Amino acid sequence: MITVGIEDISFASGSCVLDLKDLAQDLDVDVEKYHQGLGQDCMSVPAEDEDIVTMAAMAAAPLVARYPPGSFRTLLFATETGIDNSKSAGIYVHQLLNMSKNCRVVELKQACYSATAALQLAASYVQCHSEEKVLVIASDIARYEPRSKAEPTQGCGAIAFVIGSDPKIVRLEKPAGLYTEDVMDFWRPLYQDVGFVDGKFSAKVYLQALKACWKDLQDRFGIKAMDFQLFCYHLPFTRMAVKAHQYLLQDNLVDRDPQAELAKLEPSLVYSRQVGNCYSAAAYLGLLSLLENSHEDLTNQKLALFSYGSGCVGEILTATVMPGYQKYLHKRQHEEGLKARRLVNIEEYRRLLYTMAPKDGSPIQYPHVTPGRYRLSGIVEHKRIYETFVSAQ
Ligand code: CAA
């Protein structure tokens, strides 16, 4: 068996940000409900000329630049917010990043879960082709009905990682706990821009799936929560991870000090508090946040990451943090990216998030507002037109 895992990881989000204080005021809600009750401070918002493709390209560009040309022969693109019923959004990213044409590109969908499927497929592929690197990208924009209870749990962002046989950051382990059940907790028919959600039920199913995944890990591999020092969760809002971990502490980690355990979870929540839910990227934003914000050396610690996609599929992925992982992280760039976001007010946020491209195919041009290197300039003759700006940041 060769060693396989994450060699490199990078994050980008929309270039605008809404302070949830403004949403609380607009909806006449006590802001502490968002800060404490949901564990969210802000949400990233895409500018007019940003979408899942431009965020994905922003996230993946530094990774592609750090590898020799032609390194990637496979690009897996995970998303819930696909932009075409046929064409993979990954092909636009492949073109924007000027990647080798000798490459396979495909899109994967299962609500917020698909990045984990992509990662496992990539890892299995590298097991058979140890000289290959796979570029995995997860990119999403979370949208719920405006003025609904779910509105504060939106956000957007993209995570890109390289899966290969030189896992400088995290080694993936074979055991995984799996669970699938046909439930209607969150779904989005093809004609809908915003998700239908049964909020309270979705939180309940999330916890049921978590429990079932731990049972599968134990039944199939004899592995228990006590075998792990680090935990990461899918982050629809950060309090969901706290609740999930509290559940684990009560049922499976009874010998551990709950306060110390919850304090150890905290670094995984730092970025998500600022970004909000970015669906398929959310669990991996948690992983990145844990690695970049933990004050402890995490070397050789065993990690269990719970990925959850409504509908529903759950998976606990197991991994080990590699010695020297700190050298391969890019915390400053990620923090600067978040700080550089432009603060928008409630009217602008609603206009940006809920103005959708014309459904009848009428042409549209977008103003050039993104400070990023990649932009969606318009949709003409039903075709999305993207541009690259070499001189921009
Ligand atoms: N100060 C402090 N806390 C307060 C407060 C105040 N003034 N007012 C309320 N709270 C607390 C509540 O006590 C509650 O805490 P507990 O859960 O610990 O009881 C918390 O704030 C939330 O309040 P409500 O229970 O009243 O929740 P709500 O009706 O406003 O809805 C929600 C919350 C269901 C998460 C809703 O935002 C939603 O539907 N979000 C989208 C669905 C979602 O994220 N589901 C998560 C699981 S599914 C998934 O993970 C997939 C995915 O990405 C979508």
Side-chain angles (χ1 to χ4, degrees), residues 13 17 22 38 49 120 129 157 184 233 305 347:
S13 85
V17 61
D22 295 343
L38 298 175
D49 52 351
Q120 293 288 29
H129 306 270
M184 299 305 275
Y233 295 89
L305 178 147
E347 288 78 26

Side-chain angles (χ1 to χ4, degrees), residues 34 108 115 149 172 213 232 245 276 285 291 304 317 375:
Y34 299 165
L108 295 94
K149 296 232 166 140
L172 297 171
C213 287
C232 268
H245 208 48
L285 182 60
L291 296 168
L317 180 135
R375 70 179 290 264

Side-chain angles (χ1 to χ4, degrees), residues 29-38 111-112 144 148-153 185-186 197-204 206 234-237 239-240 243 277 279 282 308-310:
V29 169
D30 178 358
V31 72
E32 287 314 312
K33 174 173 177 180
Y34 299 165
H35 289 172
Q36 290 176 34
L38 298 175
C112 310
Y144 296 103
S148 69
K149 296 232 166 140
E151 192 176 6
T153 64
D185 59 330
F186 167 97
V197 65
D198 187 340
K200 293 272 159 56
F201 179 56
S202 70
K204 199 169 139 197
Y206 177 116
H234 168 56
L235 295 169
F237 50 94
R239 269 278 290 167
M240 190 71 231
K243 284 185 180 189
N277 194 356
Y279 290 168
Y308 176 75
S310 290

Side-chain angles (χ1 to χ4, degrees), residues 180-191:
T180 285
E181 188 185 351
D182 183 1
V183 283
M184 299 305 275
D185 59 330
F186 167 97
W187 69 104
R188 194 165 63 81
L190 290 177
Y191 49 82

Side-chain angles (χ1 to χ4, degrees), residues 228-261:
F228 296 87
Q229 296 83 46
L230 298 172
F231 298 87
C232 268
Y233 295 89
H234 168 56
L235 295 169
F237 50 94
T238 67
R239 269 278 290 167
M240 190 71 231
V242 174
K243 284 185 180 189
H245 208 48
Q246 279 168 338
Y247 151 75
L248 206 64
L249 283 161
Q250 270 165 21
D251 269 38
N252 303 45
L253 293 172
V254 281
D255 294 342
R256 301 245 180 116
D257 169 18
Q259 254 188 325
E261 276 294 315

Side-chain angles (χ1 to χ4, degrees), residues 39 124 210:
S124 307
L210 174 67

